[in-house]
Coordinates of all heavy atoms in Angstrom, one line a residue:
I1 N -3.5 4.9 4.5 CA -3.8 6.2 5.2 C -2.5 7.0 5.2 O -2.6 8.2 4.9 CB -4.1 5.9 6.7 CG1 -5.4 5.1 6.8 CG2 -4.2 7.2 7.5 CD1 -5.7 4.6 8.2
E2 N -1.3 6.4 5.3 CA -0.1 7.2 5.5 C 0.7 7.4 4.2 O 1.4 8.4 4.1 CB 0.8 6.5 6.5 CG 0.1 6.4 7.9 CD -0.1 7.8 8.5 OE1 0.5 8.7 8.1 OE2 -1.0 7.8 9.5
E3 N 0.7 6.5 3.2 CA 1.5 6.6 2.1 C 0.8 7.3 0.9 O -0.4 7.0 0.6 CB 2.0 5.2 1.6 CG 2.7 4.4 2.7 CD 4.1 5.0 3.0 OE1 4.6 5.9 2.4 OE2 4.7 4.4 4.0
D4 N 1.4 8.2 0.2 CA 0.8 8.8 -1.0 C 0.5 7.8 -2.1 O -0.4 7.9 -2.9 CB 1.6 10.0 -1.5 CG 1.7 11.1 -0.5 OD1 0.7 11.3 0.2 OD2 2.7 11.8 -0.5
D5 N 1.5 6.8 -2.3 CA 1.4 5.8 -3.3 C 2.0 4.5 -2.8 O 3.2 4.5 -2.5 CB 2.2 6.3 -4.5 CG 2.1 5.4 -5.7 OD1 2.1 4.2 -5.6 OD2 2.0 5.9 -6.9
I6 N 1.2 3.5 -2.6 CA 1.6 2.3 -2.0 C 2.7 1.6 -2.8 O 3.7 1.1 -2.3 CB 0.4 1.3 -1.7 CG1 -0.5 1.9 -0.7 CG2 0.9 0.0 -1.2 CD1 -1.8 1.1 -0.4
S7 N 2.4 1.5 -4.1 CA 3.4 0.8 -5.0 C 4.8 1.6 -5.0 O 5.8 1.0 -5.0 CB 2.9 0.8 -6.4 OG 1.8 -0.2 -6.5
A8 N 4.7 2.9 -5.0 CA 5.9 3.7 -5.0 C 6.7 3.5 -3.7 O 7.9 3.4 -3.6 CB 5.6 5.2 -5.2
A9 N 5.9 3.4 -2.6 CA 6.6 3.2 -1.3 C 7.3 1.8 -1.3 O 8.4 1.7 -0.7 CB 5.5 3.3 -0.1
F10 N 6.6 0.8 -1.8 CA 7.2 -0.5 -1.9 C 8.5 -0.4 -2.7 O 9.6 -1.0 -2.3 CB 6.3 -1.5 -2.6 CG 5.2 -2.1 -1.6 CD1 4.2 -2.8 -2.1 CD2 5.4 -2.0 -0.2 CE1 3.2 -3.3 -1.3 CE2 4.4 -2.6 0.6 CZ 3.3 -3.2 0.0
H11 N 8.5 0.3 -3.8 CA 9.6 0.4 -4.7 C 10.8 1.1 -4.0 O 11.9 0.7 -4.1 CB 9.2 1.1 -6.0 CG 10.4 1.1 -7.0 ND1 11.3 2.2 -7.1 CD2 10.7 0.3 -8.0 CE1 12.1 1.9 -8.0 NE2 11.8 0.8 -8.6
D12 N 10.4 2.2 -3.3 CA 11.5 3.0 -2.7 C 12.2 2.3 -1.6 O 13.4 2.6 -1.3 CB 10.8 4.3 -2.1 CG 10.4 5.3 -3.2 OD1 10.8 5.1 -4.4 OD2 9.6 6.2 -2.9
H13 N 11.5 1.3 -1.0 CA 12.1 0.6 0.2 C 12.3 -0.9 -0.1 O 12.2 -1.7 0.8 CB 11.3 0.9 1.4 CG 11.1 2.3 1.7 ND1 12.1 3.1 2.2 CD2 10.0 3.2 1.5 CE1 11.7 4.4 2.3 NE2 10.4 4.4 1.9
R14 N 12.3 -1.2 -1.4 CA 12.3 -2.6 -1.8 C 13.5 -3.4 -1.2 O 13.3 -4.6 -1.0 CB 12.4 -2.7 -3.3 CG 13.6 -2.1 -4.0 CD 13.4 -1.9 -5.5 NE 14.5 -1.3 -6.1 CZ 14.8 0.0 -6.2 NH1 13.9 0.8 -5.6 NH2 15.8 0.5 -6.9
D15 N 14.6 -2.7 -0.9 CA 15.8 -3.5 -0.4 C 15.6 -3.9 1.0 O 16.3 -4.8 1.5 CB 17.0 -2.6 -0.5 CG 16.9 -1.3 0.2 OD1 15.8 -0.7 0.1 OD2 17.9 -0.8 0.7
L16 N 14.6 -3.3 1.7 CA 14.4 -3.6 3.1 C 13.0 -4.2 3.4 O 12.7 -4.6 4.5 CB 14.6 -2.4 4.0 CG 16.0 -1.9 4.1 CD1 16.0 -0.6 5.0 CD2 17.0 -2.9 4.7
L17 N 12.2 -4.3 2.3 CA 10.9 -4.8 2.5 C 10.9 -6.4 2.6 O 11.5 -7.0 1.7 CB 10.0 -4.4 1.3 CG 8.5 -4.8 1.4 CD1 7.8 -4.0 2.4 CD2 7.8 -4.6 0.0
G18 N 10.4 -6.9 3.7 CA 10.5 -8.3 3.9 C 9.2 -9.0 4.0 O 9.1 -10.3 3.8
H19 N 8.0 -8.3 4.2 CA 6.7 -9.0 4.4 C 5.6 -8.0 4.1 O 5.9 -6.8 4.2 CB 6.7 -9.5 5.8 CG 5.5 -10.5 6.0 ND1 5.4 -11.7 5.4 CD2 4.5 -10.5 6.9 CE1 4.4 -12.3 5.8 NE2 3.8 -11.6 6.8
V20 N 4.4 -8.5 3.8 CA 3.3 -7.6 3.5 C 2.0 -8.2 4.1 O 1.8 -9.4 4.1 CB 3.1 -7.5 1.9 CG1 1.8 -6.8 1.6 CG2 4.3 -6.8 1.3
H21 N 1.2 -7.3 4.7 CA -0.1 -7.6 5.2 C -1.1 -7.0 4.2 O -1.1 -5.9 3.9 CB -0.4 -7.0 6.5 CG 0.1 -7.8 7.7 ND1 0.2 -7.3 9.0 CD2 0.5 -9.1 7.7 CE1 0.7 -8.3 9.8 NE2 0.9 -9.3 9.0
I22 N -2.0 -7.9 3.7 CA -3.1 -7.4 2.8 C -4.3 -7.2 3.7 O -4.9 -8.1 4.4 CB -3.5 -8.6 1.8 CG1 -2.3 -8.9 0.9 CG2 -4.6 -8.1 0.9 CD1 -2.5 -10.1 0.0
A23 N -4.7 -5.9 3.7 CA -5.9 -5.5 4.5 C -6.4 -4.2 3.9 O -5.6 -3.4 3.4 CB -5.5 -5.4 6.0
E24 N -7.7 -3.9 4.1 CA -8.2 -2.7 3.6 C -9.4 -2.3 4.4 O -10.2 -3.1 4.9 CB -8.6 -2.9 2.1 CG -9.1 -1.6 1.5 CD -9.4 -1.8 -0.1 OE1 -9.3 -2.9 -0.5 OE2 -9.7 -0.8 -0.7
M25 N -9.6 -1.0 4.5 CA -10.8 -0.4 5.1 C -11.9 -0.4 4.1 O -11.9 0.4 3.1 CB -10.6 1.0 5.6 CG -9.7 1.1 6.8 SD -9.6 2.8 7.5 CE -8.9 3.7 6.2
I26 N -13.0 -1.2 4.2 CA -14.0 -1.4 3.2 C -14.7 -0.1 3.1 O -15.1 0.3 2.0 CB -15.0 -2.5 3.7 CG1 -14.3 -3.8 3.7 CG2 -16.2 -2.5 2.7 CD1 -15.1 -5.0 4.3
S27 N -14.9 0.7 4.1 CA -15.7 1.9 4.1 C -14.9 3.2 3.6 O -15.4 4.2 3.6 CB -16.3 2.2 5.4 OG -15.3 2.4 6.4
Y28 N -13.5 3.0 3.4 CA -12.7 4.1 3.0 C -12.7 4.2 1.5 O -12.1 3.5 0.8 CB -11.2 3.8 3.5 CG -10.4 5.0 3.5 CD1 -10.4 5.8 4.6 CD2 -9.5 5.3 2.5 CE1 -9.5 7.0 4.7 CE2 -8.7 6.4 2.5 CZ -8.7 7.2 3.6 OH -7.9 8.3 3.7
K29 N -13.6 5.2 1.0 CA -13.9 5.3 -0.4 C -13.0 6.2 -1.2 O -13.1 6.1 -2.4 CB -15.4 5.8 -0.5 CG -16.4 4.9 0.2 CD -16.5 3.5 -0.4 CE -17.6 2.7 0.3 NZ -17.7 1.3 -0.2
V30 N -12.2 7.0 -0.5 CA -11.4 7.9 -1.3 C -10.3 7.3 -2.0 O -10.1 7.5 -3.2 CB -10.9 9.0 -0.4 CG1 -10.0 10.0 -1.2 CG2 -12.0 9.8 0.3
K31 N -9.6 6.4 -1.4 CA -8.4 5.7 -2.0 C -8.8 4.2 -2.1 O -8.9 3.5 -1.0 CB -7.2 5.9 -1.1 CG -6.7 7.3 -1.1 CD -5.6 7.6 -0.1 CE -4.4 6.8 -0.3 NZ -3.3 7.1 0.7
V32 N -8.9 3.7 -3.3 CA -9.2 2.3 -3.5 C -7.9 1.6 -3.9 O -7.2 2.1 -4.8 CB -10.2 2.1 -4.6 CG1 -10.4 0.6 -4.8 CG2 -11.5 2.8 -4.2
I33 N -7.5 0.6 -3.2 CA -6.3 -0.1 -3.4 C -6.3 -0.9 -4.7 O -7.2 -1.7 -5.0 CB -5.9 -1.1 -2.2 CG1 -5.7 -0.2 -0.9 CG2 -4.7 -1.9 -2.5 CD1 -5.5 -1.1 0.3
D34 N -5.3 -0.7 -5.5 CA -5.2 -1.5 -6.8 C -4.3 -2.7 -6.5 O -3.1 -2.6 -6.5 CB -4.5 -0.6 -7.8 CG -4.4 -1.2 -9.2 OD1 -4.5 -2.5 -9.3 OD2 -4.3 -0.5 -10.2
Y35 N -5.0 -3.8 -6.1 CA -4.2 -5.0 -5.7 C -3.4 -5.6 -6.8 O -2.3 -6.1 -6.6 CB -5.2 -6.0 -5.2 CG -5.8 -5.6 -3.8 CD1 -7.1 -5.1 -3.7 CD2 -5.0 -5.9 -2.7 CE1 -7.6 -4.8 -2.4 CE2 -5.6 -5.5 -1.4 CZ -6.8 -5.0 -1.3 OH -7.3 -4.7 -0.1
K36 N -3.9 -5.5 -8.1 CA -3.1 -6.1 -9.2 C -1.8 -5.3 -9.4 O -0.8 -6.0 -9.6 CB -4.0 -6.0 -10.5 CG -3.3 -6.6 -11.7 CD -4.2 -6.6 -12.9 CE -3.5 -7.2 -14.1 NZ -4.3 -7.2 -15.3

């Protein structure tokens, strides 16, 4: 919902990223998460 690019956000804050939750809104059709 909040980030323009999830992978880019991870990269930008990689030095402080410590954990990840995998979750998705099934009905949210506009932005499909590229899990790979």
Side-chain angles (χ1 to χ4, degrees):
I1 297 172
E2 299 296 340
E3 306 286 356
D4 293 330
D5 186 319
I6 294 177
S7 291
F10 279 164
H11 184 270
D12 291 344
H13 306 286
R14 60 192 180 278
D15 56 324
L16 291 178
L17 186 68
H19 194 58
V20 173
H21 275 168
I22 301 174
E24 184 173 6
M25 289 187 295
I26 297 172
S27 61
Y28 198 82
K29 301 298 185 182
V30 179
K31 293 168 67 178
V32 177
I33 295 174
D34 186 339
Y35 287 100
K36 182 177 180 180

